[in-house]
Amino acid sequence: MMKNVVEVRDLVVVRGSREVLPGISLDVPAGVTGLLGPSGCGKTTLMRCLVGAQQVRSGTVEVLGEPAGSAPLRTRIGYVTQAASVYDDLTVAENLRFFARVLGVEPAQADEAIASVDLASHRDQVVARLSGGQRSRVSLAVALLGKPDLLVLDEPTVGLDPVLRRDLWELFHRIADAGAAVLVSSHVMDEAERCHRLLLMREGRIIADGSPDEIRERTGATDIEQAFLHLVETQPSGEGDAA
Ligand SMILES: Nc1ncnc2c1ncn2[C@@H]1O[C@H](COP(=O)(O)OP(=O)(O)OP(=O)(O)O)[C@@H](O)[C@H]1O
């Protein structure tokens, strides 16, 4: 059995004057893990900690057995933020070749990454003229350069239509099947069913973790949205993390 890809223990993060993560602990195993919770609950802050982009007050964050942010992790983690991270005035292929150079990976990997997100037929198109879903896939392709072992995706399906969302989730599963751990955040609870495992988050705490089936069974709910509401009602805010 593989060790967890991510292990977070007693993590405290303060942003501005607010304790955004008040001592969170969680694990992320292989497969597709959904980090679900309402807007502002701290999903982005947690993801920033995993990729080493967030100042932390205390606690530990280990990724692939190394402290988050350490040099060996640089090409082993792919991160797609909510903001566009590719150049609109370059083509798909130009973007990928540019980032491949920046990351110091083989140029051939640019073509592989383009193919893996199904954009080969758009490789010479300028990003500005792509649809929203295609543009998201360009960012995803960049994150796949270096063949990361952990892919961290911050609300990658927000604003996309149901067909594009389904296609992207299929892609996340293909990436996970190829061996990477995929952590996907969302504030849309109906994306839960698409994950192997869920971390339900509220006010900087994990209020449940397990497979969608386990969480539904544990709460007696018919769907994850109901399960979340049940957990919120039975676990007053500010009290202990789930086991
Ligand atoms: N730069 C900052 N300075 C101070 N507070 C911040 C900063 N960025 C975020 N916060 C606060 O931290 C809390 C968590 O924000 P975060 O972006 O991690 O939440 P989120 O769950 O990702 O939300 P969303 O789903 O809307 O992206 C929020 O209350 C937010 O206002």
Side-chain angles (χ1 to χ4, degrees):
M1 183 82 186
M2 192 186 156
K3 195 176 180 291
N4 285 314
V5 176
V6 172
E7 292 189 357
V8 175
R9 296 289 176 270
D10 306 318
L11 177 64
V12 177
V13 172
V14 175
R15 298 185 84 173
S17 57
R18 241 190 108 211
E19 199 172 65
V20 176
L21 302 180
I24 193 172
S25 297
L26 59 102
D27 297 326
V28 178
V32 179
T33 300
L35 177 64
L36 301 187
S39 184
C41 73
K43 302 181 296 296
T44 300
T45 303
L46 174 62
M47 289 182 147
R48 284 165 52 87
C49 294
L50 305 189
V51 302
Q54 177 67 52
Q55 196 176 355
V56 310
R57 175 151 295 181
S58 60
T60 58
V61 182
E62 236 181 52
V63 179
L64 301 158
E66 306 275 353
S70 60
L73 292 176
R74 207 160 293 149
T75 56
R76 298 186 70 196
I77 303 179
Y79 178 38
V80 182
T81 66
Q82 287 180 41
S85 54
V86 291
Y87 294 102
D88 262 1
D89 53 343
L90 299 183
T91 66
V92 173
E94 285 165 349
N95 265 290
L96 268 292
R97 280 200 298 266
F98 170 75
F99 285 106
R101 264 202 310 277
V102 170
L103 285 168
V105 304
E106 294 289 311
Q109 274 202 33
D111 292 328
E112 274 178 51
I114 293 169
S116 67
V117 300
D118 290 331
L119 280 178
S121 56
H122 293 86
R123 56 173 291 119
D124 296 320
Q125 210 161 318
V126 169
V127 167
R129 274 188 243 120
L130 296 175
S131 72
Q134 290 164 340
R135 214 173 302 183
S136 310
R137 280 186 281 152
V138 182
S139 295
L140 190 55
V142 171
L144 289 172
L145 288 169
K147 301 196 168 78
D149 297 307
L150 171 66
L151 198 56
V152 178
L153 307 172
D154 197 354
E155 307 228 13
T157 60
V158 77
L160 299 183
D161 70 47
V163 175
L164 286 173
R165 278 171 54 190
R166 184 205 56 200
D167 291 351
L168 265 184
W169 277 99
E170 283 174 6
L171 176 58
F172 304 156
H173 278 272
R174 284 207 299 277
I175 293 166
D177 290 345
V182 183
L183 179 67
V184 187
S185 74
S186 178
H187 61 262
V188 185
M189 293 289 164
D190 66 5
E191 307 229 273
E193 302 300 335
R194 302 174 188 272
C195 303
H196 296 125
R197 188 151 166 281
L198 300 174
L199 295 166
L200 300 191
M201 190 170 181
R202 181 178 186 242
E203 295 176 352
R205 295 169 189 279
I206 300 299
I207 58 170
D209 78 61
S211 69
D213 280 347
E214 282 166 0
I215 291 178
R216 268 195 308 267
E217 261 168 45
R218 208 180 300 154
T219 54
T222 51
D223 61 38
I224 296 297
E225 182 149 352
Q226 258 194 27
F228 187 87
L229 293 172
H230 173 86
L231 288 160
V232 167
E233 279 156 16
T234 55
Q235 187 174 32
S237 72
E239 283 186 16
D241 287 357

